């Protein structure tokens, strides 16, 4: 990826940000950086919301809470 070699926004920039940002902010920065560096990547990763299946489990005081979403397929 050519953007990684750019001195203003490339690898050194990302490493510098990794040193000063917490993990959540760095994750957001990298996702936005990647979209700008390779705009077509968003199209390749995009999925229709109806095609997504999810299972979420969260521990609670007395057990577990779950959420499930399945497509008709």
């Amino acid at each position: 990826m050519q953007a990684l070699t750019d001195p203003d926004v490339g690898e050194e920039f990302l490493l510098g940000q990794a040193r000063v940002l917490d993990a959540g902010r760095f994750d957001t920065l990298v996702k936005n950086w990647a979209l700008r560096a390779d705009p077509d990547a968003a199209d390749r990763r995009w999925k229709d919301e109806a095609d997504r299946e999810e299972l979420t489990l969260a521990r609670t005081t007395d057990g577990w809470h779950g959420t499930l979403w399945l497509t008709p397929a």
Side-chain angles (χ1 to χ4, degrees):
M1 182 180 294
Q2 192 174 22
L4 279 175
T5 60
D6 185 321
D8 294 326
V9 294
E11 184 177 6
E12 290 302 318
F13 167 77
L14 292 173
L15 290 172
Q17 296 301 306
R19 290 182 186 105
V20 297
L21 296 176
D22 62 45
R25 288 184 181 195
F26 184 70
D27 180 61
T28 300
L29 176 120
V30 169
K31 287 177 182 173
N32 285 302
W33 180 90
L35 287 174
R36 286 184 169 79
D38 185 8
D40 294 331
D43 290 336
R44 289 191 303 270
R45 287 192 314 262
W46 183 83
K47 288 183 83 175
D48 187 0
E49 287 292 322
D51 290 340
R52 295 183 183 185
E53 296 180 336
E54 297 179 16
L55 170 63
T56 305
L57 294 174
R59 189 171 201 143
T60 64
T61 308
D62 296 325
W64 293 85
H65 176 267
T67 305
L68 177 65
W69 172 261
L70 296 175
T71 63

